[in-house]
Amino acid sequence: MKKNLGPVQAVYPMPVLMIAAYDEKGKVNVMNAAWGMICNSDRIALFIDEEHKTTQNILVSKAFTVSLADEAHMDVADFFGIASGNNMPDKFERTGYTAARSCFVNAPIIEEFPVVMECELAEVVETESFYCVVGKILNTAAEEKVLSENGKIDPARLHALIFDQFQHGYYLTGKQAGQAWNAGAALMKK
């Protein structure tokens, strides 16, 4: 029997996304966001507040990058979520991390994170319920160490962090439970 818990954000897993953008002076800011998702073959939607420093930077620069946080960089990924660029001007510098300019968009690539999507601002959707920044993905780059033999990103090698909204923990991806578009194929024959 299920127990009623009230209005809980019961979506699991959530990604741990590192969103980076330049301000009007070219200064890097990065934030940690869990409320983001692919919304088309070349689009990503980020449900982030307009007041975030990174959001303001995206509106100015019209571009951003989204990196996948991994286990090896969990401490800095978490720091990017608890420190505000609005209150801490040297937020990025405190980490000692390295930013390189994207060749595809006017946004920084954080070198330490293994996978990055380079995006131009496609649109901003604002309603009473949410504020959403939508980016057009122009390029995705990945460290070779996280690629499989077929040249695609391998979750078992990536060790990407996932966020748990129930207990506020970080977990790891990696163990494959089945194959999509195959696990339920036997039911098609009934």
Side-chain angles (χ1 to χ4, degrees):
M1 178 171 189
K2 291 181 179 67
K3 179 180 177 182
N4 293 327
L5 301 175
V8 173
Q9 302 157 349
V11 173
Y12 175 83
M14 298 290 288
V16 180
L17 305 174
M18 300 293 102
I19 304 164
Y22 292 124
D23 70 7
E24 62 279 349
K25 296 177 183 172
K27 186 173 176 65
V28 175
N29 194 65
V30 185
M31 71 176 284
N32 177 329
W35 293 17
M37 61 185 290
I38 297 298
C39 61
N40 202 331
S41 62
D42 67 347
R43 298 283 194 273
I44 186 166
L46 306 172
F47 297 92
I48 54 179
D49 290 335
E50 185 177 10
E51 294 80 30
H52 287 298
K53 176 65 175 158
T54 302
T55 307
Q56 292 303 308
N57 291 354
I58 291 168
L59 297 176
V60 168
S61 66
K62 308 292 187 221
F64 57 95
T65 59
V66 179
S67 297
L68 302 180
D70 63 339
E71 181 180 24
H73 303 98
M74 180 173 53
D75 57 343
V76 172
D78 190 58
F79 171 74
F80 284 145
I82 58 179
S84 169
N86 287 323
N87 302 326
M88 189 180 290
D90 64 340
K91 176 180 170 179
F92 181 72
E93 292 80 6
R94 285 186 187 204
T95 67
Y97 275 26
T98 308
R101 184 170 293 277
S102 165
C103 294
F104 295 88
V105 297
N106 181 29
I109 293 173
I110 310 310
E111 295 285 5
E112 287 74 8
F113 296 115
V115 176
V116 62
M117 291 168 277
E118 299 161 80
C119 308
E120 67 182 14
L121 179 62
E123 63 182 307
V124 174
V125 181
E126 185 174 5
T127 73
E128 269 186 44
S129 302
F130 65 83
Y131 188 89
C132 178
V133 172
V134 179
K136 180 177 182 180
I137 303 166
L138 298 185
N139 185 54
T140 300
E143 295 286 336
E144 288 189 33
K145 68 182 179 183
V146 302
L147 300 179
S148 64
E149 289 73 29
N150 66 2
K152 295 184 179 183
I153 297 167
D154 183 346
R157 295 178 183 185
L158 178 58
H159 303 284
L161 294 177
I162 52 179
F163 178 66
D164 135 49
Q165 293 196 102
F166 308 118
Q167 304 291 328
H168 299 143
Y170 292 118
Y171 292 82
L172 294 175
T173 63
K175 181 180 174 189
Q176 184 175 11
Q179 188 65 41
W181 296 283
N182 183 287
L187 294 171
M188 296 296 292
K189 299 174 184 172
K190 282 190 170 190

